[in-house]
C-alpha cells in the first residue's frame, strides 16, 4: 500500500464521483491528474511485469501528461521526445532526401494515445481505491470508460500552452488545439527549429518558419463548430464547460 494523506484520498473520491455522474469539466480532471501524478509513478513499476507493452506505454504517457499539467514549462519527457524526433525526421529528409514527396517528409511518426491515457488514469484510480476502500466496486467506472472522448477533450484543453524546450537545440514547442474534420485535436507548433536556423544561414534572412503537427487525436466533437485559427500568431485557447443541459462543450477564451 502506498501511503497518502486522507485529504488526497477525499479529493480523488470527490472528483471520481464527478466523473461517474458526468458533472465534471477540466477543473475536476486537472485535480485528478495532479493527485494521481505520484500515485501513478508508484503503481507503474508494480504492474509492469504483468502488463502488455502497449499498456506500459500508456502509463508512461499518463505520467508525462500529469507532469506537463503540474509544470507547464518542460524540457524532457515523452512529449518532448516525440516532438524532437519528428523535427529530426523532417530535418533529415529536407537535407538528404530531395526527391521525397512532401507528404512523406512531413508525415507524423508518432502521437499520444488519448484512450490509453484515459484508461491508465482510471486504472490508477482502481488500484488506489482497491487499497483504501474495501467495498469499492470497479464496475461503477463502466460509464466513465464510455465517456473517454469528453475526458480526452478535458485533458488536451489542460495541455494547451504547455511550453517545451527541445533538446539538442531543436527549438521550442507550444501545444494548442485545432479542429480537424469536426473533432478536436492537440497540435504543437515549433519555432527556432534547426530547419529554421539552416534556412536563415542559407539566405542571410531573419524570417521565421512555423512548423506544426498533431500530437493527440480525439473523437471529441466540436459541437458548436467554434472557429480556431491555425495561422493565428498566438494560438486560440479553449475551456470546457457544461451547458444548460449538462452537456460538456468547449468555448474560446477570447480575453484573459
Amino acid at each position: 500500500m502506498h501511503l497518502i494523506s486522507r485529504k488526497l484520498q477525499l479529493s480523488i473520491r470527490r472528483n471520481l464521483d464527478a466523473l461517474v455522474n458526468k458533472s465534471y469539466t477540466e477543473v475536476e480532471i486537472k485535480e485528478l491528474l495532479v493527485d494521481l501524478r505520484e500515485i501513478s509513478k508508484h503503481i507503474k513499476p508494480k504492474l509492469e511485469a504483468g502488463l502488455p507493452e502497449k499498456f506500459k506505454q500508456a502509463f508512461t504517457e499518463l505520467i508525462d501528461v500529469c507532469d506537463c499539467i503540474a509544470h507547464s514549462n518542460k524540457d524532457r519527457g515523452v512529449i518532448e521526445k516525440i516532438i524532437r524526433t519528428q523535427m529530426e525526421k523532417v530535418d533529415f529528409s529536407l537535407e538528404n532526401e530531395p526527391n521525397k514527396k512532401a507528404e512523406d517528409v512531413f508525415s507524423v511518426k508518432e502521437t499520444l494515445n488519448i484512450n490509453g491515457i484515459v484508461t491508465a488514469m482510471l486504472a490508477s484510480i482502481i488500484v488506489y481505491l482497491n487499497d483504501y476502500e474495501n467495498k469499492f466496486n470497479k464496475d461503477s467506472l463502466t460509464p466513465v470508460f464510455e465517456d473517454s472522448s469528453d475526458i480526452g477533450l478535458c485533458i488536451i484543453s489542460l495541455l494547451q500552452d504547455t511550453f517545451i524546450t527541445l533538446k539538442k537545440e531543436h527549438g521550442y514547442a507550444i501545444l494548442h488545439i485545432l479542429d480537424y474534420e469536426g473533432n478536436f485535436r492537440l497540435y504543437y507548433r515549433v519555432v527556432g527549429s534547426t530547419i529554421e536556423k539552416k534556412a536563415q544561414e542559407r539566405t542571410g534572412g531573419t524570417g521565421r518558419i512555423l512548423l506544426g503537427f498533431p500530437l493527440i487525436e480525439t473523437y471529441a466533437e466540436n459541437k458548436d463548430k467554434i472557429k480556431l485559427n491555425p495561422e493565428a500568431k498566438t494560438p486560440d485557447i479553449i475551456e470546457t464547460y457544461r451547458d444548460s443541459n449538462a452537456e460538456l462543450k468547449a468555448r474560446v477564451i477570447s480575453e484573459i
Side-chain angles (χ1 to χ4, degrees):
M1 182 181 291
H2 181 48
L3 295 178
I4 62 172
S5 73
R6 288 168 292 173
K7 194 83 170 181
L8 188 57
Q9 181 183 353
L10 180 61
S11 175
I12 291 172
R13 166 44 71 186
R14 283 176 173 169
N15 288 312
L16 177 58
D17 289 344
L19 291 184
V20 173
N21 63 36
K22 300 185 188 300
S23 63
Y24 68 90
T25 65
E26 64 194 71
V27 174
E28 286 74 23
I29 300 298
K30 180 177 182 179
E31 289 183 4
L32 263 177
L33 291 173
V34 171
D35 288 345
L36 291 172
R37 184 172 171 233
E38 292 302 322
I39 294 171
S40 297
K41 291 178 182 179
H42 177 79
I43 289 171
K44 183 174 179 281
K46 290 187 172 184
L47 297 181
E48 277 191 329
L51 286 176
E53 195 61 39
K54 184 177 180 180
F55 201 65
K56 291 180 188 178
Q57 181 62 24
F59 258 96
T60 301
E61 292 177 3
L62 169 66
I63 291 167
D64 198 49
V65 165
C66 292
D67 286 343
C68 284
I69 290 170
H71 303 287
S72 60
N73 286 270
K74 293 268 292 174
D75 61 0
R76 67 197 68 188
V78 176
I79 294 175
E80 186 278 334
K81 184 178 179 182
I82 286 174
I83 297 173
R84 175 166 45 85
T85 300
Q86 175 68 12
M87 298 308 297
E88 289 172 346
K89 179 185 85 75
V90 173
D91 183 34
F92 178 85
S93 292
L94 292 175
E95 289 289 317
N96 301 286
E97 300 171 315
N99 297 322
K100 197 170 186 177
K101 294 180 179 179
E103 57 264 34
D104 295 328
V105 171
F106 294 102
S107 63
V108 175
K109 184 176 181 180
E110 186 178 1
T111 60
L112 293 184
N113 182 339
I114 192 61
N115 289 333
I117 292 169
V118 172
T119 300
M121 181 187 82
L122 296 176
S124 296
I125 294 172
I126 290 171
V127 172
Y128 163 71
L129 290 181
N130 275 337
D131 280 342
Y132 283 88
E133 296 187 11
N134 293 330
K135 296 181 180 180
F136 173 68
N137 178 12
K138 64 181 180 181
D139 292 335
S140 66
L141 293 189
T142 299
V144 183
F145 280 98
E146 294 170 351
D147 218 27
S148 59
S149 291
D150 281 351
I151 296 172
L153 173 59
C154 291
I155 290 173
I156 67 171
S157 182
L158 291 167
L159 289 171
Q160 293 172 108
D161 269 7
T162 299
F163 185 84
I164 301 170
T165 303
L166 303 178
K167 294 178 181 178
K168 302 180 183 179
E169 299 184 346
H170 279 288
Y172 308 90
I174 187 167
L175 307 187
H176 64 106
I177 289 176
L178 292 174
D179 177 296
Y180 180 79
E181 296 184 348
N183 291 332
F184 290 109
R185 275 186 177 182
L186 187 70
Y187 284 75
Y188 56 89
R189 57 169 62 176
V190 178
V191 296
S193 64
T194 305
I195 298 163
E196 179 182 287
K197 293 171 187 174
K198 289 178 180 178
Q200 290 173 343
E201 290 172 2
R202 284 194 297 267
T203 63
T206 58
R208 308 305 298 267
I209 296 177
L210 188 65
L211 295 171
F213 302 92
L215 180 66
I216 300 179
E217 299 178 29
T218 78
Y219 293 101
E221 185 183 352
N222 183 357
K223 297 168 184 174
D224 293 323
K225 296 180 172 52
I226 60 176
K227 302 295 184 182
L228 299 167
N229 182 5
E231 298 179 358
K233 183 176 180 181
T234 302
D236 296 314
I237 296 295
I238 70 165
E239 65 176 1
T240 57
Y241 71 100
R242 293 279 170 181
D243 68 8
S244 58
N245 296 316
E247 186 176 6
L248 186 77
K249 290 187 175 181
R251 59 192 172 199
V252 174
I253 303 174
S254 57
E255 194 171 317
I256 298 177

